[in-house]
Amino acid sequence: MTDPMLVAEDGADMALLMRAHRRLRDLAVQLELAPFAEQTAASMRAYLDEEAATAQSAFARWVALPQEVRDRAAARVRQEQL
C-alpha cells in the first residue's frame, strides 16, 4: 500500500494533480472554441508529451490512498484556496 505520508502530507502529488486539472480544463476550452485549430492540437500534444505520464502516476498514487486521507488532503487544499 502507498504510504499516505509520502503522497498526501508533502503536497507534491496534490500540487501536480491541481496543475494537471487546470491544464486539462484549459485544453477543454480550446477544444470547445477551436477543435480543429493547429494550436489546439499542439497544446494537446504538448500536454501528452510533457505532463500526462507524470499526472497519471500521481493520480494512481492518489487513488491508492485510503478515502479518509484523500478527504483530509482535499479539505486542506480547499482551506488553502480561501
Side-chain angles (χ1 to χ4, degrees):
M1 181 170 165
T2 304
D3 182 354
M5 297 303 283
L6 294 176
V7 179
E9 297 302 322
D10 74 355
D13 277 351
M14 180 66 79
L16 194 151
L17 290 170
M18 289 174 59
R19 246 187 343 269
H21 184 260
R22 282 191 299 274
R23 180 81 184 267
L24 290 169
R25 193 174 32 205
D26 291 345
L27 287 173
V29 170
Q30 286 182 13
L31 282 169
E32 287 181 18
L33 297 177
F36 304 107
E38 181 55 38
Q39 180 58 43
T40 301
S43 295
M44 292 175 65
R45 278 192 293 277
Y47 175 76
L48 291 171
D49 292 344
E50 299 164 9
E51 300 176 49
T54 306
Q56 184 178 17
S57 296
F59 185 73
R61 289 188 296 272
W62 173 257
V63 297
L65 294 171
Q67 183 67 46
E68 307 83 48
V69 174
R70 293 190 315 237
D71 290 346
R72 282 195 308 273
R76 187 173 60 239
V77 168
R78 282 191 297 272
Q79 278 295 73
E80 290 172 359
Q81 292 177 344
L82 295 178

